[in-house]
Amino acid sequence: SLISVYDWEGNVLWRKVLNNATHRLHHQIDVHDFDVRAGRGTLFALVAYRLECATAVALGREECDEAAGLYVEAVLEIDTAGHVVWEWYMSNHVCAGCDAVSKVDINSGAGRAKADWVHANSLVYDAAHDVLLMGGAYTSEVYVIDHSAPSETPLMAATADGGTSPS
């Protein structure tokens, strides 16, 4: 849960901790234009975001272990000063039993009974199209995330149709 940048002599040039009660670094970062020495650019970090079971159930989750909660994938874009400058949360793009291409069924996949139900383990930024590609190991899906979309918070207000919109 630590991202570090070192020089060739082993000196730490930059460090960011992503491990707290809700956010945990998970498998991968994409350093597409991150340049610590020049003080410019950003990197994308794949993060597991923890929801309490009551929140997960309100989003449509059928199974949830109270002790573990439910982890939804998130992507944080971090600049060379260590600030999070853009965020995306899968919790804003879930539904129960839906087949909409813009939503993910919160009860789907081989991990549907697990706290880490999607288990994303790959993240790639496509700068030419300004999208992120995230692979879900338990759902066997690749998610295309529009980086040009506004930054999100973990739980945005629900709309009448079960989707989400900024509150």
Side-chain angles (χ1 to χ4, degrees):
S1 296
L2 175 68
I3 304 170
S4 300
V5 177
Y6 297 90
D7 65 15
W8 287 108
E9 288 76 42
N11 301 306
V12 176
L13 301 176
W14 186 88
R15 182 166 279 167
K16 176 72 175 177
V17 175
L18 284 173
N19 188 16
N20 58 42
T22 57
H23 292 78
R24 183 177 60 188
L25 185 64
H26 189 236
H27 285 302
Q28 185 151 0
I29 61 172
D30 184 304
V31 295
H32 67 99
D33 69 350
F34 191 76
D35 187 341
V36 171
R37 289 189 172 147
R40 67 174 181 261
T42 59
L43 62 80
F44 293 102
L46 182 56
V47 176
Y49 179 78
R50 187 180 187 279
L51 296 175
E52 296 293 331
C53 282
T55 303
V57 169
L59 290 171
R61 182 70 174 185
E62 294 170 359
E63 294 185 47
C64 191
D65 177 347
E66 289 292 336
L70 181 73
Y71 286 93
V72 293
E73 305 304 333
V75 178
L76 305 180
E77 183 177 12
I78 304 167
D79 67 15
T80 56
H83 301 118
V84 175
V85 297
W86 182 86
E87 301 173 70
W88 178 90
Y89 291 87
M90 185 172 270
S91 54
N92 294 315
H93 307 277
V94 297
C95 61
C98 70
D99 60 2
V101 296
S102 62
K103 300 283 182 185
V104 179
D105 185 346
I106 197 166
N107 299 299
S108 65
R112 66 182 155 269
K114 299 180 181 191
D116 181 16
W117 66 285
V118 173
H119 196 83
N121 54 19
S122 61
L123 181 70
V124 177
Y125 178 61
D126 176 354
H129 297 99
D130 200 18
V131 296
L132 292 136
L133 305 170
M134 179 178 72
Y138 292 156
T139 56
S140 299
E141 295 180 331
V142 174
Y143 305 100
V144 180
I145 302 166
D146 183 1
H147 178 248
S148 69
S151 189
E152 299 179 355
T153 58
L155 294 167
M156 298 169 78
T159 61
D161 67 355
T164 57
S165 65
S167 46

